[in-house]
Amino acid sequence: VPAPGADSTPCAAIATATAALAAPFTAAALAAAGPSVASDASAVARAALEGLTPVAITGGALSSVRPSGNDPRDWPNCADGSTSTICHTQEGESRAWVRLYFNASRLDVVRIYNRHDSGRHKLASHSISYRTASGSWVECAHAWAPSEVGPFATPCQAEVATGVEVRQDDLANSLNLAEVQPFVYPSP
């Protein structure tokens, strides 16, 4: 139940939950987030994501690919539904990105999982953009991912999108993620 005067829309709930999960869990931060977030921020995040429909991925790309033995670590690893595989760009790349494409669809939320091992600190400051029907990219969010596995849910709203991009702000690092998942809310 939202606090009196709070915005009760699903996107506002996701923004509140994501902000609470990204912020340090101090008493002041939790109190400022509101009573429902203060009681259990992860439960609020899960509740805000319930009822979302995943967007079916039709293709993708990485700005570069860092192979590892028999595992190419290419973009499909970021869209295979498994958090045990990763997509990984070359080391030292400036503003590395992963792009996932889909048939024209509304877009509401992008959920990201960092890799499970030592590389999960690398996403940090990043932008999320959506691809328009004409092929141009429009930034819909700028976010900070803590050095945790996640998931991190970020509102990214577009009436019609044909892709989503996660771009790292770091000028000389690799991008390595377990999953990138675009979602829509069901039609009323």
Side-chain angles (χ1 to χ4, degrees), residues 8-9 55 80 104 114 116 125 138 162 173:
S8 62
T9 63
V55 176
D80 62 3
N114 269 326
H116 287 270
S125 180
V138 176
T162 60
N173 212 337

Side-chain angles (χ1 to χ4, degrees), residues 20 23-35 37-38:
F25 282 99
T26 63
L30 290 175
V37 175

Side-chain angles (χ1 to χ4, degrees), residues 115-129:
R115 63 188 290 176
H116 287 270
D117 57 11
S118 62
R120 64 179 172 250
H121 66 283
K122 293 185 177 184
L123 180 57
S125 180
H126 62 283
S127 63
I128 300 174
S129 301

Side-chain angles (χ1 to χ4, degrees), residues 49 52 109-113 128 151-154 179-183:
L49 293 173
L52 288 173
V109 176
V110 176
R111 184 166 62 182
I112 300 171
Y113 287 87
I128 300 174
F152 311 108
T154 305
E179 282 293 300
V180 176
Q181 303 167 328
F183 287 94

Side-chain angles (χ1 to χ4, degrees), residues 104-186:
S105 170
R106 195 177 78 248
L107 178 64
D108 292 309
V109 176
V110 176
R111 184 166 62 182
I112 300 171
Y113 287 87
N114 269 326
R115 63 188 290 176
H116 287 270
D117 57 11
S118 62
R120 64 179 172 250
H121 66 283
K122 293 185 177 184
L123 180 57
S125 180
H126 62 283
S127 63
I128 300 174
S129 301
Y130 65 88
R131 186 173 186 249
T132 65
S134 65
S136 61
W137 292 92
V138 176
E139 185 174 308
C140 57
H142 194 266
W144 177 269
S147 296
E148 299 169 7
V149 173
F152 311 108
T154 305
C156 180
Q157 297 178 318
E159 286 300 314
V160 178
T162 60
V164 66
E165 174 190 81
V166 176
R167 181 180 291 265
Q168 195 175 38
D169 289 341
D170 194 332
L171 297 178
N173 212 337
S174 60
L175 178 69
N176 47 33
L177 300 172
E179 282 293 300
V180 176
Q181 303 167 328
F183 287 94
V184 298
Y185 284 105

